[in-house]
Amino acid sequence: MEEAIIKAACAIGAGLCMGIGAIGPAVGEGNAVGKALEGMARQPEQSSTLRTTMIIGCAITETTGIYSLLIAFLILFAL
């Protein structure tokens, strides 16, 4: 019985980790892409610079989601 409770708690913890950990990158990337598109609309000559910076920023932002996935896997499979 105790082992089943521990497994259920691990599953809930991993789900919360991914649920909360996926919100940040989604909001951050949406904001970055929106602002980059706004900048491209205002200054089309700077679109290549803005696009490059946006892609780098989105890649950095996405790492927090990957960290959350890693922690969720560790919670599920390390115990």
Side-chain angles (χ1 to χ4, degrees):
M1 182 67 174
E2 293 173 2
E3 189 173 325
I5 293 173
I6 291 173
K7 285 185 180 182
C10 287
I12 291 170
L16 285 173
C17 181
M18 280 310 299
I20 295 169
I23 292 172
V27 171
E29 287 179 23
N31 191 17
V33 171
K35 295 294 182 179
L37 287 174
E38 184 179 323
M40 287 179 203
R42 290 178 187 259
Q43 293 183 339
E45 65 274 1
Q46 292 291 323
S47 64
S48 63
T49 305
L50 289 170
R51 186 179 307 115
T52 302
T53 306
M54 178 196 67
I55 289 172
I56 291 170
C58 285
I60 292 170
T61 304
E62 188 63 32
T63 58
T64 58
I66 294 170
Y67 290 149
S68 296
L69 180 65
L70 175 68
I71 297 300
F73 281 152
L74 285 173
I75 290 172
L76 285 176
F77 299 118
L79 296 177

